[in-house]
Amino acid sequence: MADSLRRLVNIGTFTVLQDKLEKWLSDYYINTCDQNVARGCEIIELNAKVQGQLFKLLSVCASDGGMYGGANIIKSRLLPWLGQNFFTSGGSVTADTSLSVLAEASAKDREINDLQDMYEKSMDDLERDLESMKTENQDLRDELQETRLELNSNVRCLSGDRDYLDTENRDLKRNLRSLKSLSDSMTSYRYTSRITTPLAIDDPVQRVRQQNLVARFNDMFAQDRLDALDTLRRYSDDHENNQRIIYCAVSEAFSTAKLAFRQFKMKVRANLAKTHYGPETLEEAVQDYINRNSDLYDLPGMVSDVIRALNRNPKIFLPPDATFAIVQPFIREACKLAWQMSALAHPLDIAASTDAELFDDNKYRRSYDSEYTAPLVNHHIWPCLMQGIKTLVKGEALTRRGASLTSSGRRSRSPTRSLSPTRALSPSFRSRSVSPLRRSRCPSPRRCLSPLGRRSPTGRWL
């Protein structure tokens, strides 16, 4: 009796029953119906086995008291619970067998719990390792991105350096070609005696070329300028800004051509000085060579320089989808004209000008939309052509009250070609009334060289 009771205590069956009940309670809401029923049946079976062992112990204890020992207590307390063949299982299954079964079940449960704890611990370790790997991967990804950005920056820098070197290489090749053509022309050049010096103002070359160039300057004002304005009008409706672009293009063309011609003349002088002899002076020989080879210049390079200068000019602008290359034909003709004027023995040049300067009636005429009482120039429309201090062809300017160096110009819808500022060439057009002359194209600016200005209200010419 005591040994059986000791074994039952050592097994800890009730502890197992309690653990199973708690486990069932914790998993009740996540189990299916079949799983909950199976858990209940499992607990009932285990409880039945424990009760069988207790009843066996009770039977042994009662048998020690004889026929009537403990019978009253059994009848009063357990009789209602006793049924037929309640202890019949004891015949086939011994107490030791039942206790060993309970012990094995308890050991399996503990083993399962231990395995579950180990599994959960290993899962936690794996999750920590996974997070650590994710962090390392993110660090590597960030380093890779930084390295890629640095490489891209280096590639862009190298590309920019290569473009800068390519530009220098093209310029060098262009200069070499120019020098080669210059040297070839030098070898075949022979100075011939002339009746008049090529440096004279009345030299036939000077006189004929000057007349042709002045006529071309007038044609550019009357035709090429209007064509360029039509091109600009397709991209910008700011008429004042378009006029500024045309004027700046002509100004930059003359500046670029004069610089290029000075370099060309210095090369010619340096090469002729090595072999020059004869009664004529070196300057006469240089001018004679220039007259014969006035087409030895880099026109594409000058056009590119002018476009770059326009891009740097803060007073003019174009929409983002357009560049100053849209007026490249006009710039090209302006560069050709500026070079040929600079190549004359007595060169022709345009007058220097600034916005908000005092209007000079000897150099400019007012445009038709000017404010005639305004003393300051708002902006220039066409430059004044000069030879030294002598005005050959008047330019055109727009005067307006309140003109200043910082004025950005008023935005105005561009007028049609029939409303060209060249309508001011007629003296009668100085009035504000509309004249049929406005619908015709303006003649050449040379007609404006008349000393007559505008007619006063009394009928006199001012």
Side-chain angles (χ1 to χ4, degrees), residues 132-175:
S132 177
M133 292 298 294
K134 287 182 178 179
T135 304
E136 293 180 359
N137 290 336
Q138 185 63 36
D139 295 338
L140 291 175
R141 192 177 293 108
D142 295 339
E143 292 180 1
L144 180 62
Q145 183 66 20
E146 293 177 358
T147 305
R148 185 181 293 109
L149 293 175
E150 185 177 357
L151 288 175
N152 292 335
S153 177
N154 293 334
V155 168
R156 285 194 296 270
C157 293
L158 291 175
S159 178
D161 294 340
R162 183 174 59 188
D163 295 339
Y164 179 70
L165 291 176
D166 291 342
T167 303
E168 287 188 348
N169 191 19
R170 287 195 297 268
D171 294 339
L172 182 60
K173 289 181 178 178
R174 187 173 62 195
N175 294 333

Side-chain angles (χ1 to χ4, degrees), residues 11 16 101-114:
I11 290 173
V16 176
V101 171
L102 291 173
E104 290 177 359
S106 178
K108 288 181 179 179
D109 288 338
R110 285 194 295 271
E111 184 178 358
I112 291 173
N113 292 331
D114 294 339

Side-chain angles (χ1 to χ4, degrees), residues 179-251:
L179 288 175
K180 184 178 179 181
S181 61
L182 180 62
S183 61
D184 293 340
S185 62
M186 288 292 181
T187 56
S188 60
Y189 170 73
R190 292 293 182 272
Y191 180 78
T192 57
S193 60
R194 300 163 56 96
I195 299 176
T196 60
T197 173
L199 299 178
I201 189 65
D202 58 346
D203 182 69
V205 175
Q206 170 75 26
R207 186 171 61 255
V208 173
R209 289 186 178 179
Q210 178 173 327
Q211 292 177 355
N212 294 334
L213 292 175
V214 171
R216 178 63 185 133
F217 183 79
N218 295 330
D219 292 339
M220 285 197 66
F221 172 79
Q223 181 62 44
D224 298 59
R225 180 183 66 91
L226 298 180
D227 294 339
L229 284 174
D230 287 343
T231 302
L232 290 171
R233 194 179 296 118
R234 291 197 292 266
Y235 297 90
S236 173
D237 60 351
D238 192 336
H239 183 59
E240 180 177 317
N241 177 67
N242 295 341
Q243 290 179 333
R244 289 177 183 269
I245 292 175
I246 297 299
Y247 183 82
C248 290
V250 177
S251 299

Side-chain angles (χ1 to χ4, degrees), residues 122-137:
S122 62
M123 288 298 295
D124 293 337
D125 294 338
L126 288 176
E127 288 180 358
R128 286 193 295 270
D129 294 340
L130 181 61
E131 291 296 331
S132 177
M133 292 298 294
K134 287 182 178 179
T135 304
E136 293 180 359
N137 290 336

Side-chain angles (χ1 to χ4, degrees), residues 290-338:
I290 292 174
N291 291 341
R292 297 184 184 186
N293 302 275
S294 60
D295 57 344
L296 294 179
Y297 60 96
D298 182 18
L299 183 58
M302 288 194 294
V303 172
S304 300
D305 293 340
V306 172
I307 293 177
R308 282 195 293 269
L310 294 179
N311 289 327
R312 294 191 298 266
N313 195 327
K315 295 183 180 180
I316 56 178
F317 60 90
L318 278 178
D321 58 340
T323 63
F324 292 106
I326 60 177
V327 290
Q328 184 172 348
F330 177 81
I331 296 174
R332 184 181 182 89
E333 294 300 319
C335 290
K336 290 171 60 176
L337 180 64

Side-chain angles (χ1 to χ4, degrees), residues 347-363:
L348 307 181
D349 197 2
I350 60 175
S353 61
T354 59
D355 291 345
E357 69 178 359
L358 188 64
F359 179 76
D360 188 352
D361 191 61
N362 295 324
K363 294 182 179 180

